[in-house]
Amino acid sequence: MQIYGETAVVTGASSGIGAETAKALAARGARVVLLARRKDALDQLASEIRAAGGIAFVYAIDLGDAKAVARIAEAIKSDVGVPGILVNNAGSGVWRFIDETSPEEAVAMMTLPYFAAFYVTRAFLPEMLRRNRGFIVNVNSPASQFTWPGASAYTAARWALRGFTESLRSDLYGTSLRVMHFVAGHTKSGYWQANPGSEERVPKIAKLVPTLTPQQAAAALVRGIEQDRREVVVPFMMRLFYIQHALFPWAVEWMLRVTGYRRR
């Protein structure tokens, strides 16, 4: 898909992959619409994009609030226009065993990313369908494909987002709208600091996969949009894990379990 001149909505844009994706899209000539809770961080990012010659709009919002998403979507359509690109990147969640996870935490992890992606997509989809043009990206985790000990609620939420991606693709069959599932391996970002104790639960076998920077992940995501890709998994070693899992699922699942976190 050609990015230049399109309006691109990016959720979870205040930091990490979301912020870098917004910068990369703006650098290619998109008008970027930044959505997240932290207005100060969004304002700072918008200033950086504008200083580099790009166009950015800021909308601070709780993406877990369906009514607020509907209101903001109407404002965006009025102020900026119907997006041609939608990047559902907002996500959260701490890695814990199920008995360590409160019901409230489980609901919060399902809200971001799954419900947020549903609310935002639903808010813009009718107009995108009328134009019969658009590209939707759902940013996910390797936990959407694999399971390992100590991250049960987080994993369930990521599988929900993957299921939403596949069903959305089926819903849009026969239209010109495209849906991409984007999965990045271990990425250096503020997520790990915001969720202490989670990084130590990454299975030891994952050390074979190089760590990405947010800039590297964002570059791969934007290339995927430009190439009309159905799925992008980065880095290459993570993609190899996907291939191995398709061929020998029992072997990959066994490795993740035996090298995974153990209860103390």
Side-chain angles (χ1 to χ4, degrees):
M1 179 177 185
Q2 180 177 314
I3 294 173
Y4 183 85
E6 290 288 353
T7 297
V9 172
V10 182
T11 72
S14 56
S15 63
I17 294 174
E20 295 302 327
T21 297
K23 290 179 186 178
L25 289 169
R28 283 164 173 76
R31 300 183 300 274
V32 292
V33 180
L34 312 174
L35 272 62
R37 287 186 181 183
R38 293 187 292 144
K39 188 176 186 301
D40 56 340
L42 294 180
D43 285 338
Q44 175 62 37
L45 175 59
S47 295
E48 293 178 23
I49 290 171
R50 292 164 187 155
I55 302 171
F57 303 85
V58 168
Y59 294 86
I61 181 176
D62 175 3
L63 291 161
D65 184 335
K67 292 181 179 178
V69 170
R71 288 195 301 270
I72 287 293
E74 290 304 314
I76 292 169
K77 286 181 277 190
S78 175
D79 300 343
V80 189
V82 177
I85 300 169
L86 176 56
V87 180
N88 290 310
N89 169 72
S92 67
V94 62
W95 294 15
R96 291 177 178 165
F97 290 104
I98 187 169
D99 49 298
E100 299 174 325
T101 308
S102 71
E104 293 77 16
E105 287 171 328
V107 170
M109 280 186 260
M110 192 62 73
T111 300
L112 297 176
Y114 167 56
F115 285 121
F118 177 89
Y119 297 154
V120 173
T121 302
R122 184 180 185 276
F124 290 112
L125 192 58
E127 287 81 4
M128 294 174 77
L129 282 169
R130 276 196 284 274
R131 297 198 315 173
N132 199 27
R133 189 179 85 251
F135 204 99
I136 300 169
V137 182
N138 288 337
V139 178
N140 215 337
S141 158
S144 65
Q145 184 73 26
F146 311 116
T147 61
W148 53 80
S152 53
Y154 176 88
T155 299
R158 293 295 169 169
W159 281 54
L161 182 60
R162 190 182 101 197
F164 174 61
T165 304
E166 295 294 340
S167 60
L168 180 61
R169 191 177 285 129
S170 293
D171 281 356
L172 297 177
Y173 179 76
T175 75
S176 294
L177 274 70
R178 297 292 178 263
V179 181
M180 185 174 86
H181 190 230
F182 178 81
V183 177
H186 187 276
T187 305
K188 292 179 182 176
S189 72
Y191 166 80
W192 303 109
Q193 288 71 42
N195 295 279
S198 295
E199 193 165 19
E200 68 187 55
R201 300 192 179 197
V202 175
K204 293 180 178 62
I205 190 70
K207 292 181 180 179
L208 296 174
V209 181
T211 297
L212 295 168
T213 65
Q215 292 87 347
Q216 289 172 322
L221 190 158
V222 172
R223 281 197 304 273
I225 295 174
E226 292 175 323
Q227 296 169 4
D228 288 333
R229 296 282 297 277
R230 173 188 176 92
E231 182 172 66
V232 172
V233 178
V234 289
F236 176 71
M237 279 298 294
M238 180 58 69
R239 187 65 185 171
L240 284 183
F241 267 105
Y242 268 62
I243 295 170
Q244 290 169 345
H245 185 258
L247 297 173
F248 309 106
W250 59 270
V252 174
E253 290 164 8
W254 177 80
M255 285 190 295
L256 289 167
R257 287 169 186 161
V258 299
T259 67
Y261 185 78
R262 289 288 177 270
R263 295 177 184 270
R264 290 174 178 158

